Amino acid sequence: MKTNILKIAIIDNDEALDPIYRLYFSENVEYELHGVYKSVQGLLSSFGRSYPDIIICEAQLNGISGIDGLDYFLRKNEDLKVLMMSKKNDFKLIKEAFKKGASGYLIKPLTKERLFNALEALHLHGVALEHDVAKKIINSFQTKSFDSFSRKENQIIELLTQGFTYKMIADRLCVTPSAVNFHIQNIYVKLNVNSKSEALQKLKEIEIRQLNAA
């Protein structure tokens, strides 16, 4: 249970979404809507009065883009968490956002459930990556990120991140479930984890570190 209500600021130049965002937050008691803004400058001008805890920002805006806005936001408050959002599931855009300091990346259009799931993930884990974004990162960095794993282990990691069961992985790779289990146990040992959920979280952390270092 949250002890403090988190303030959320949204920057989106699509005016049609303004009432939708306000409706979402009017029905939620865990977060307070700091405001909905059309530009980076609009939010920055309100910073003298109060700071949001989390900013949800369109990546591609007129004027100062959402990604360039990260520099301004984090100079104001280095503890701010920023979720970028865009209709584009483009790796270069995702990479640039994380290099600039984003804590997550969401693909539009956003449903209420996906939006609040991302906020919850950010609050609990410090990062919010949806499946499609995580898959894009893994696909782009697989060889570089997972050098310590064999080709077969990398194949299994890819399928695990897509939600495949052991049996489904065995069927896809034309091996026995026991062979899959053997490789997964090796993956757990290399990651120093004991479960699938821990493995997936550790892999996400590796991906983020590689993005920031790239």
Side-chain angles (χ1 to χ4, degrees):
M1 182 180 294
K2 295 178 178 67
T3 56
N4 296 305
I5 296 176
L6 297 178
K7 293 183 179 179
I8 311 298
I10 299 174
I11 305 176
D12 196 326
N13 55 5
D14 186 344
E15 294 187 7
L17 295 177
D18 187 308
I20 296 174
Y21 291 133
R22 294 184 187 279
L23 177 63
Y24 285 173
F25 283 92
S26 71
E27 298 172 343
N28 188 284
V29 298
E30 296 180 284
Y31 303 100
E32 176 188 336
L33 186 60
H34 177 280
V36 181
Y37 303 87
K38 302 297 182 290
S39 66
V40 169
Q41 298 95 318
L43 175 57
L44 290 173
S45 67
S46 76
F47 268 23
R49 297 187 292 274
S50 64
Y51 289 91
D53 299 295
I54 298 172
I55 297 172
I56 305 169
C57 184
E58 166 64 49
Q60 298 173 301
L61 296 165
N62 296 327
I64 301 173
S65 72
I67 290 178
D68 288 337
L70 283 160
D71 290 330
Y72 294 91
F73 301 146
L74 297 176
R75 266 188 242 144
K76 291 281 188 179
N77 180 3
E78 62 181 14
D79 294 324
L80 270 174
K81 300 294 184 183
V82 183
L83 284 174
M84 303 306 302
M85 58 180 174
S86 174
K87 291 180 180 178
K88 291 188 175 182
N89 187 5
D90 177 79
F91 177 69
K92 289 183 179 179
L93 203 60
I94 295 169
K95 176 182 176 181
E96 187 178 1
F98 282 112
K99 286 184 70 173
K100 290 269 193 174
S103 300
Y105 192 100
L106 306 174
I107 304 300
K108 297 171 74 177
L110 296 177
T111 64
K112 180 180 178 180
E113 181 181 13
R114 288 175 54 228
L115 176 61
F116 286 109
N117 283 346
L119 288 173
E120 186 70 12
L122 186 62
H123 179 66
L124 294 176
H125 306 297
V127 63
L129 280 180
E130 294 184 300
H131 168 72
D132 287 347
V133 175
K135 185 173 183 291
K136 178 78 71 173
I137 293 171
I138 289 174
N139 286 342
S140 299
F141 272 89
Q142 194 156 28
T143 301
K144 182 176 180 181
S145 296
F146 306 131
D147 286 342
S148 61
F149 298 113
S150 69
R151 179 174 174 275
K152 185 67 71 177
E153 288 167 350
N154 272 311
Q155 289 176 328
I156 290 173
I157 286 170
E158 169 68 11
L159 295 173
L160 277 177
T161 62
Q162 294 182 45
F164 279 55
T165 65
Y166 286 18
K167 185 179 185 305
M168 292 166 63
I169 293 172
D171 291 343
R172 173 64 66 89
L173 299 180
C174 299
V175 298
T176 65
S178 61
V180 172
N181 184 65
F182 171 78
H183 287 300
I184 287 178
Q185 292 307 313
N186 284 340
I187 291 169
Y188 287 179
V189 168
K190 290 178 181 180
L191 291 173
N192 192 28
V193 299
N194 298 304
S195 69
K196 178 182 175 180
S197 60
E198 289 178 339
L200 293 177
Q201 182 63 36
K202 193 76 169 282
L203 289 166
K204 282 185 181 180
E205 292 170 0
I206 292 172
E207 292 154 18
I208 298 300
R209 285 200 298 270
Q210 290 292 342
L211 280 169
N212 289 332

